[in-house]
Amino acid sequence: MADTETTDHKLNFEQNELVLCFHGPLLYEAKILKAENWGPEDSESGDTGPHYYVHYKGWKKTWDEWVPEERVVKHNEANLMRQKQLKDTYSNKKKKTVRIGNKGSIEDQEKSNDVSESSPSHQGDNKNEAELQEDQLQKENHERGKKRKKINDDEEEEEFMNRLEIKIPLPESLKVKLIDDWENVTRNNALLKLPRKYTVADILNEYLEFKHNLIASTANNQKSDKDDIHSEVVQGIKIYFDKTLGNILLYADERQQYVNIRKQFLDKENSEIYGAEHLLRLFVELPRLLAHTTMDQAATETLEEHLIDFLKFIQKNEDQYFAETEYERHGWVCANCKTSNTPGWRAGETPDKKLCNACGLYFSKYKSHRPEHLWNNLRNKSA
């Protein structure tokens, strides 16, 4: 690694500093274990500049990772508030469920207190010796039951902690896509235009075809067991996506859009409507979802290898699969010349009437719409 004192880039964070670090769309408390400036030859991916090896607070050490400086922010009051806002947005539904659960527990406790206060044990100490012995026996049985429950809970917790952990690291460029997607939806209210041009089903099929052709070219066109493995992995991703999208992969601002699109396309699966942006969100959740499976170490390692390979395929084709323009998100067309190809959008006469950059500039200057012969002549020249 490059020496931090001999590189030109300034490190804005120090070793052992407590920071907040992006992992997926959320911020987590982390500690910097190492701080280094990377040169072109210091990483396999060719990443350069300040990088930090971080440990996420409360996470296993297997999640420690090198991150570029753009994923790290200062641990201060403003960023802690930002962390809370991100968490509230992402886990709003979960919090609502917890609140309902807590309310039920409080009501149950109040009922229990009411019963206790009106029970015979609170109406005087007039019990005979036999009754007292019976009460003591019931108390001992209750305590033994509580101990057995604690032992069972401890065993279940130990069993869960000993389960093999699935780790699916996202390539850096895809992490940036994930963060941009969050900002577009939650801050800019820029929902994706659905159905996507390249749906999850399209991406999975293209990946499967790519792997099949690759295997066929090295196996003399003979069917390989690897074909079956890739098919199983792809089918598993599709099932997880279809089942979890409506429950855990949507931001609050997208839920009404989801309801509307499901009514419109009753004969389609979620994977035939949504695209790469929502698929990336699944990969953030997959480690937690897969933690409840009973795979052995060999199966876990094989699955990790194939999921990482699939992410590399998406990264290789990210310019094709991800929305890059406002039109792809909003479905906007110019209210005047009807084009969707523009370097930027401008306000029209009303908020719902967007104008392309050229028509917007003309409208702003002359307070009238750009004449048809101007944009028709320009298109003819381009053609």
Side-chain angles (χ1 to χ4, degrees), residues 203-354:
I203 297 171
L204 292 172
N205 289 335
E206 287 190 6
Y207 172 73
L208 203 56
E209 183 178 358
F210 168 75
K211 300 305 291 187
H212 172 75
N213 292 337
L214 186 64
I215 293 169
S217 65
T218 59
N220 298 323
N221 293 322
Q222 293 181 356
K223 183 175 175 59
S224 168
D225 290 340
K226 291 183 178 180
D227 266 335
D228 294 333
I229 295 175
H230 290 125
S231 296
E232 289 179 11
V233 171
V234 163
Q235 184 62 21
I237 294 173
K238 183 179 184 301
I239 291 173
Y240 268 103
F241 185 84
D242 287 332
K243 298 297 183 184
T244 62
L245 176 75
N247 295 322
I248 63 175
L249 302 185
L250 297 175
Y251 299 121
D253 294 338
E254 296 176 306
R255 296 203 172 277
Q256 188 57 52
Q257 182 193 40
Y258 174 74
V259 171
N260 296 338
I261 204 72
R262 290 310 312 160
K263 290 179 180 178
Q264 187 178 353
F265 296 97
L266 296 174
D267 60 333
K268 291 184 179 292
E269 298 281 1
N270 289 328
S271 54
E272 297 174 292
I273 300 172
Y274 287 81
E277 292 81 5
H278 290 79
L279 182 58
L280 272 194
R281 301 182 200 176
L282 172 66
F283 275 83
V284 175
E285 298 290 343
L286 266 182
R288 179 174 64 85
L289 297 173
L290 294 173
H292 297 280
T293 62
T294 56
M295 292 184 292
D296 58 26
Q297 183 172 356
T300 299
E301 291 175 353
T302 299
L303 180 59
E304 282 181 349
E305 177 185 341
H306 284 80
L307 292 176
I308 291 172
D309 182 69
F310 177 66
L311 285 172
K312 289 180 179 178
F313 174 81
I314 294 179
Q315 183 187 30
K316 182 180 178 181
N317 298 281
E318 63 182 63
D319 290 344
Q320 178 180 352
Y321 292 151
F322 289 88
E324 295 294 339
T325 67
E326 292 285 359
Y327 173 73
E328 289 181 278
R329 284 201 166 266
H330 296 277
W332 284 343
V333 293
C334 179
N336 181 44
C337 70
K338 309 305 179 186
T339 186
S340 61
N341 184 19
T342 177
W345 293 95
R346 295 181 177 271
E349 294 172 290
T350 59
D352 61 321
K353 290 185 178 181
K354 297 291 182 181

Side-chain angles (χ1 to χ4, degrees), residues 131 143 172-173 239:
E131 289 174 331
E143 291 298 324
E172 288 301 325
S173 63
I239 291 173

